[in-house]
Amino acid sequence: AGEGADLSFPNVAELLQTAKNAFHKRFQCQPTHAACAPGRVNLIGEHTDYNDGFVLPMALPLMTLVVGNKTDTGICRVFTTSPVDGPSYVEFAINSSQEPLAPSKPAWANYVKGVVACYQGPQVSFDVVIVSSVPIGGGLSSSAALEVSTYTFLEAISPTTTPITDRQKALDCQKAEHTFAGMPCGIMDQFISVMAKREHALLIDCRSMEGQLVPLQDNKVAVLITNSNVKHELSSSEYPVRREQCEKAALALGKKKLRDVSMDQLEAAEASLEPVIFRRARHVIGEIRRCEDASLALENGDYSKFGKLMVQSHNSLRDDFEVSCGELDSLVESALEVQGVFGSRMTGGGFGGCTVTLVKAEVVPEVITHMKVGGYWQVLN
Ligand code: GAF
């Protein structure tokens, strides 16, 4: 088996059927178009994207699907089967001078509105239903999956005269999140959701916006994802604070971004920096290096090295960047107690969500039992 889960989640065909049924029930007709985009797990390279560094995510078979029709009413009608907040149905007008597109409640709909506002093609109205198997707010990039699937749906119903590049699409979706969801995210989540390839991780250089595929092909090794099922309030408020601290560090060191600072330069400047700013920068500079090293280790099949880097990454996120939490630390510690586990770390923005563990495929069931959580795993083949 290439993958497994002791938590059941629908495959894409089942998800599509659910979406079509829900669409028919709500709008009394069949949808003409469907678009989907995956969630992701980041293997290593955390909080490095907005510092122009490297990240190494891979897409998951968990995804968001948008089905619907183009309409000529000027009103977009949007229904979701997994509302996080407020009602599951919203309507909004496009091209309306009385009611320009703006963020409002419920929050989940802002991702859709934001993408409509940032889409480069002709503005058209539509009826859609959204279904998703990405755990909402679980640190597996449910936001980007919604943005990218919405964008792809718009490309299908309202094509542009010149095709939009993948890079531009990721940037437009990021802009939607910045401007409509108020989250100053980096580019990792949108980039991998647009550009992921099966059986590969993607080493993304967030400065040049170049991606390099890293094959994941070894049926003796698995990537295991476990969900802490917590999301602390701090997750949205602390992210912008971390971003600002990184910018402050780069400025104090006379560089554009922390990508431009070496560990030696940082250490030489320690006395001139506030301790907290020093620690934030130490995480980022170390993590950019770890991500590059880890990607090489993965290519060479050196899982022990990769695992060690994962643990260093987690410790740095916990101690220097301070974005972990007790639940994530316990999951990581518990995974590391099992023989055959190469490494484990929190993944995503932090303050809850998931951990990712690199493990010998044969011991996955033992790890899950030991961790006392449900998990999703994918063997590297
Ligand atoms: C969130 C953000 F959206 C990403 O851009 C990235 O910064 C990540 O947190 C941390 O690595 O997922």
Side-chain angles (χ1 to χ4, degrees):
E3 64 190 41
D6 59 350
L7 299 170
S8 63
F9 61 86
N11 64 29
V12 68
E14 290 163 342
L15 215 52
L16 182 60
Q17 199 51 55
T18 306
K20 281 175 160 178
N21 294 347
F23 189 89
H24 189 263
K25 191 165 170 208
R26 181 142 290 260
F27 298 111
Q28 281 80 51
C29 62
Q30 290 298 329
T32 55
H33 291 79
C36 69
R40 61 98 188 98
V41 64
N42 189 20
L43 299 175
I44 196 163
E46 218 66 81
H47 288 274
T48 48
D49 57 354
Y50 52 84
N51 290 294
D52 276 4
F54 290 92
V55 291
L56 186 63
M58 65 181 245
L60 296 172
L62 303 171
M63 62 190 73
T64 297
L65 226 138
V66 176
V67 301
N69 291 333
K70 178 176 167 178
T71 63
D72 53 14
T73 57
I75 306 290
C76 297
R77 303 192 294 174
V78 186
F79 176 75
T80 177
T81 58
S82 42
V84 216
D85 62 318
S88 54
Y89 177 76
V90 294
E91 285 185 7
F92 57 90
I94 50 158
N95 300 328
S96 155
S97 47
Q98 293 100 357
E99 243 186 287
L101 262 182
S104 59
K105 290 207 162 138
W108 65 263
N110 289 331
Y111 297 99
V112 178
K113 285 186 203 167
V115 169
V116 169
C118 297
Y119 181 56
Q120 310 253 345
Q123 293 274 300
V124 295
S125 57
F126 51 76
D127 291 340
V128 289
V129 162
I130 298 163
V131 297
S132 186
S133 55
V134 190
I136 310 293
L140 299 180
S141 192
S142 50
S143 311
L146 176 53
E147 291 150 12
V148 175
S149 54
T150 303
Y151 201 102
T152 307
F153 175 79
L154 293 179
E155 288 179 297
I157 62 163
S158 175
T160 47
T161 37
T162 44
I164 297 162
T165 62
D166 286 350
R167 202 176 295 186
Q168 189 57 48
K169 181 169 171 177
L171 285 168
D172 289 345
C173 289
Q174 182 196 32
K175 185 170 168 206
E177 184 148 345
H178 285 193
T179 51
F180 274 69
M183 163 71 171
C185 60
I187 193 63
M188 167 170 67
D189 300 352
Q190 292 78 12
F191 197 100
I192 183 72
S193 192
V194 172
M195 299 199 214
K197 292 269 177 301
R198 248 188 126 77
E199 293 164 12
H200 288 84
L202 192 62
L203 177 69
I204 308 170
D205 178 336
C206 299
R207 168 162 280 172
S208 66
M209 296 268 294
E210 300 287 341
Q212 187 191 317
L213 288 167
V214 182
L216 297 175
Q217 279 145 0
D218 186 339
N219 60 12
K220 292 196 179 62
V221 177
V223 170
L224 166 71
I225 294 148
T226 52
N227 197 339
S228 70
N229 287 313
V230 295
K231 188 180 185 221
H232 294 292
E233 275 303 308
L234 287 172
S235 59
S236 46
S237 58
E238 285 296 299
Y239 188 93
V241 173
R242 293 298 178 282
R243 232 192 130 132
E244 278 164 27
Q245 289 170 329
C246 291
E247 277 155 21
K248 199 169 167 185
L251 192 71
L253 294 157
K255 302 287 183 184
K256 189 163 160 256
K257 292 278 182 178
L258 284 177
R259 163 84 178 264
D260 305 313
V261 182
S262 70
M263 199 55 103
D264 287 347
Q265 286 168 331
L266 176 72
E267 279 165 3
E270 181 172 1
S272 66
L273 295 171
E274 279 171 59
V276 66
I277 299 296
F278 172 77
R279 284 187 288 113
R280 301 298 188 249
R282 183 165 61 185
H283 163 72
V284 172
I285 296 166
E287 185 76 356
I288 292 174
R289 183 70 200 272
R290 280 189 288 274
C291 186
E292 288 183 275
D293 291 350
S295 150
L296 260 180
L298 199 56
E299 274 183 56
N300 296 334
D302 190 346
Y303 305 118
S304 302
K305 170 108 187 263
F306 194 96
K308 281 191 190 116
L309 292 163
M310 287 175 94
V311 174
Q312 286 170 16
S313 164
H314 183 80
N315 294 345
S316 172
L317 287 157
R318 182 192 61 205
D319 302 335
D320 274 355
F321 217 63
E322 295 179 280
V323 291
S324 187
C325 59
E327 293 87 346
L328 291 169
D329 296 343
S330 303
L331 284 175
V332 167
E333 279 160 30
S334 153
L336 294 174
E337 282 160 6
V338 182
Q339 274 276 326
V341 167
F342 297 109
S344 185
R345 56 182 289 277
M346 57 154 277
T347 184
F351 300 104
C354 292
T355 64
V356 57
T357 301
L358 192 73
V359 56
K360 285 190 180 152
E362 63 193 22
V363 299
V364 165
E366 190 189 332
V367 180
I368 291 182
T369 309
H370 186 75
M371 290 173 89
K372 299 191 184 68
V373 284
Y376 162 76
W377 64 95
Q378 186 156 337
V379 177
L380 305 188
N381 69 354

